[in-house]
Amino acid sequence: MSKRSSSGSGGLGALIFFVILLIALVPKPVWIALGVTVAVVVVGLIVYIIVTAIEDYRVAAAERARVERAEQAAAAELEREERLRRGKQRRLDTLGKENAVLLESALRAVEQVAASEAARAGWLGDIDFSIDIKGITDNFEKVHSLRGVTNKLSALDKPSAADRKLLAEAKDTTVNLERTAIERVELIGKCATEAQLIDESLQTEREDARVAEQRAELHAKLSAMLYGIEAMPDTTPADSAVEAVMARVQAYREIKGQMQQPW
């Protein structure tokens, strides 16, 4: 064992001596250049790692922001749909099915008017229909409530004269309220139709103006071209090959005709 240890120690010493000798033999400038190269490589590697980490963080942050925006948009859309559903159900409960449909058509017409170019350009003036919508809603609510009570009164057995008189008055009131509300709904729908017609008229005016501008430009261009052509001298050559060939054709026909004449 001692011999092996001595042999191993000797080999290690020889290796150390060889390394020291190698270091001593290599010129100092080479070691400096090698050190600088290693330092540059290490610094470059560190910078690469830092830049990569920053980029990964930026991409991850952007992705998180995108996901958050998508989730917020989805939540807002769900909330809007739920709000619309509750509003529709409330109208069904307070107005009845048919009148709720009429009110929704009026609301859509109001949205169409507000989104029209005519409204944005100020051609329609004040487009606040809130008072009209409130009046329609109030009338339909009264109609629905009156019908609920009158239906119950009508269902009672042995109606009295007072019942019939009261029911007749309630029917007249219901008809008048409903007619007034329906007329207002139809007027709002007409506003939407007229706004659409104005939009179409504005679009037609723009198209006509565009065509007129294009026509004027083409007229000017064509007039300049014609003027330029008229001002240029005739460039047709006097000894045109076309005229020479046509003259020979005519001469051939004359000779051919004379040959075919009987003597």
Side-chain angles (χ1 to χ4, degrees):
M1 294 293 295
S2 59
K3 290 182 179 180
R4 290 181 180 178
S5 299
S6 300
S7 176
S9 299
L12 179 60
L15 179 60
I16 294 173
F17 175 77
F18 177 75
V19 171
I20 294 173
L21 181 61
L22 182 61
I23 293 173
L25 292 176
V26 175
K28 185 176 181 180
V30 174
W31 286 111
I32 294 174
L34 182 61
V36 171
T37 302
V38 172
V40 170
V41 171
V42 171
V43 171
L45 182 61
I46 294 173
V47 171
Y48 173 77
I49 294 173
I50 293 174
V51 171
T52 302
I54 294 174
E55 182 63 19
D56 292 342
Y57 177 80
R58 188 189 65 80
V59 172
E63 180 63 19
R64 286 195 301 271
R66 187 191 65 80
V67 172
E68 289 177 359
R69 288 194 300 270
E71 291 176 349
Q72 292 173 357
E77 180 63 20
L78 289 176
E79 183 179 356
R80 187 186 71 85
E81 292 178 355
E82 179 61 21
R83 185 170 61 252
L84 292 175
R85 187 195 65 79
R86 290 196 302 266
K88 184 175 182 179
Q89 186 61 47
R90 183 173 61 254
R91 288 191 290 272
L92 288 173
D93 296 338
T94 58
L95 309 180
K97 183 177 180 180
E98 293 181 359
N99 291 337
V101 172
L102 289 172
L103 179 60
E104 289 176 0
S105 69
L107 293 173
R108 286 194 298 271
V110 169
E111 292 178 355
Q112 292 173 5
V113 172
S116 66
E117 182 182 357
R120 294 194 304 271
W123 289 102
L124 304 180
D126 185 10
I127 57 171
D128 184 5
F129 292 92
S130 58
I131 295 178
D132 301 275
I133 295 298
K134 185 178 186 305
I136 294 170
T137 304
D138 291 343
N139 279 15
F140 281 156
E141 286 179 350
K142 293 173 183 176
V143 168
H144 186 66
S145 299
L146 285 171
R147 281 178 176 164
V149 177
T150 55
N151 289 338
K152 292 179 181 179
L153 181 59
S154 300
L156 296 179
D157 295 335
K158 300 177 181 180
S160 63
D163 291 344
R164 287 189 288 272
K165 180 181 179 182
L166 191 59
L167 287 172
E169 292 178 358
K171 181 179 180 181
D172 291 340
T173 302
T174 299
V175 170
N176 291 333
L177 289 171
E178 193 168 42
R179 182 177 61 250
T180 301
I182 291 174
E183 289 175 353
R184 185 60 55 179
V185 170
E186 291 175 348
L187 285 174
I188 295 177
K190 187 175 181 180
C191 289
T193 301
E194 294 298 329
Q196 183 179 0
L197 292 176
I198 293 177
D199 283 359
E200 293 175 357
S201 176
L202 294 173
Q203 177 63 28
T204 301
E205 290 178 2
R206 283 195 298 271
E207 182 64 20
D208 291 344
R210 185 189 66 81
V211 172
E213 181 180 358
Q214 186 178 13
R215 178 177 287 108
E217 180 181 351
L218 292 174
H219 278 197
K221 185 175 182 179
L222 186 57
S223 297
M225 293 174 65
L226 292 174
Y227 177 78
I229 293 173
E230 292 175 356
M232 292 176 60
D234 187 7
T235 57
T236 303
D239 53 348
S240 171
V242 174
E243 295 178 354
V245 170
M246 292 304 298
R248 290 178 178 273
V249 170
Q250 184 64 27
Y252 169 80
R253 288 177 177 173
E254 292 176 357
I255 295 173
K256 192 69 174 177
Q258 291 175 2
M259 295 176 62
Q260 292 178 353
Q261 290 180 358
W263 295 94

